[in-house]
Amino acid sequence: MPVTSGRYGYLGPEATFTEAAARRLPLLLGAELEPFATVHAAIDAVRAGEVAGSVVPLENSVEGSVNATLDELIRGEPVTITAELLLPVTFTLMARPGVELASIRRVITHPVAEAQCRTWMNKTLPEATVSLGSSTAAAAEAVARGVTGPAGEVYDAAIAAPIAADHYGLTPLAGDIGDDKDAVTRFVLVTQPGRPPRGTGSDKTSLVAYIRDDHPGALLEILEQFSTRGVNLTRIESRPTGNGMGRYCFVMDAEGHLTDERVGEALMGLRRVCGDVRFLGSYPRADGIRPPVGRGMSNDDFRDAAAWLDSLRHA
Ligand SMILES: O=C(O)C(=O)Cc1ccccc1
């Protein structure tokens, strides 16, 4: 059994949006935080027991899922989500002191930031090329240190969090350059599998369903498990399993907690119709929404029905 500690990891280096998210997570208040260079390294440290958990970006309101994170949840040794946090993000273009906006030709940033600043970049710096790095802070650090790209190219500027400019000694050239001013990113705390936090009445359950033998209606079968039990899905996404062309799994977020009868019944249904099901955790919703429970779908309704069946079987 790996040894865990009170330390937590996050997608680094220092001054990433993920660090800001980790510092806002109530569960991690006062915890020692350690940066990791990639999502993979941050989650592998959880698997190895080097840290008690890691905070990673999962999805963005504009760009969608962070595939590096989804793939860690889908493949390899299982880990679970214990908490989520929503963070508004604003982007700043920054360069070494003395570099002028008009002279910028090469920019580096994280893929999520690149997607969100595309309109501004096309309008303001149409000649510039944008390279992708492992995080916005790694991009800022590369600019500050004059790190060169694979073809020896020097990056003139980075798109990163406003605090990254201060942190890496760069000069902000333009602030709030995101196309959607209300963009929000969802971050999750990933830990080793274990008993989920208690249900709060405002919870989400994440899971991965792997199809058993591709066949017509396979996705419908999966969806039916939720709809017939009145469980609303807040997200569903297909990802390649990594085991051959055309093999997909579905990553889903459902409303409710593992201990809710309707969620438990839906999970049992999935277990019957899927090749495999990976439980990715039940945790409090960051938006605090308490969705209404449909008629006949409450815990009491399910328990009452189970007791009735039992009475028939044992009459
Ligand atoms: O690169 C970062 O700073 C991250 O934490 C990932 C990210 C990038 C862009 C928006 C939100 C999160």
Side-chain angles (χ1 to χ4, degrees), residues 39-247:
V39 166
H40 174 73
I43 294 185
D44 249 11
V46 174
R47 294 188 175 111
E50 287 164 32
V51 290
S54 278
V55 179
V56 289
L58 180 58
E59 62 171 323
N60 179 272
S61 59
V62 177
E63 177 51 9
S65 286
V66 176
N67 288 339
T69 302
L70 274 192
D71 291 346
E72 288 299 325
L73 298 175
I74 290 166
R75 305 169 192 168
E77 277 298 300
V79 285
T80 61
I81 299 172
T82 314
E84 70 169 8
L85 186 118
L86 297 173
L87 190 73
V89 286
T90 59
F91 301 99
T92 297
L93 183 79
M94 53 193 76
R96 282 181 294 279
V99 174
E100 299 210 343
L101 183 63
S103 70
I104 286 167
R105 289 291 170 273
R106 283 183 194 281
V107 176
I108 181 164
T109 192
H110 183 271
V112 171
E114 185 277 326
Q116 283 196 46
C117 301
R118 216 171 272 157
T119 310
W120 187 90
M121 284 294 293
N122 286 340
K123 207 169 63 190
T124 318
L125 294 169
E127 311 275 282
T129 55
V130 184
S131 303
L132 302 178
S134 53
S135 73
T136 55
E141 193 177 28
V143 172
R145 291 198 179 163
V147 171
T148 50
E153 69 273 27
V154 175
Y155 302 112
D156 306 316
I159 299 173
I163 54 156
D166 250 9
H167 198 92
Y168 293 102
L170 298 176
T171 305
L173 295 180
D176 209 2
I177 64 169
D179 302 333
D180 177 358
K181 305 296 175 223
D182 300 322
V184 172
T185 302
R186 178 180 171 213
F187 297 86
V188 287
L189 172 65
V190 168
T191 61
Q192 285 194 7
R195 188 191 293 221
R198 294 169 81 91
T200 63
S202 171
D203 305 284
K204 241 186 232 175
T205 294
S206 297
L207 45 100
V208 191
Y210 303 80
I211 284 176
R212 178 194 295 150
D213 310 324
D214 194 15
H215 61 277
L219 175 57
L220 186 60
E221 268 176 12
I222 290 175
L223 296 178
E224 272 171 356
Q225 305 311 319
F226 295 97
S227 69
T228 55
R229 278 117 187 163
V231 177
N232 184 42
L233 292 179
T234 54
R235 189 171 71 114
I236 176 163
E237 185 132 359
S238 62
R239 282 295 295 157
T241 58
N243 299 321
M245 182 58 93
R247 294 185 176 217

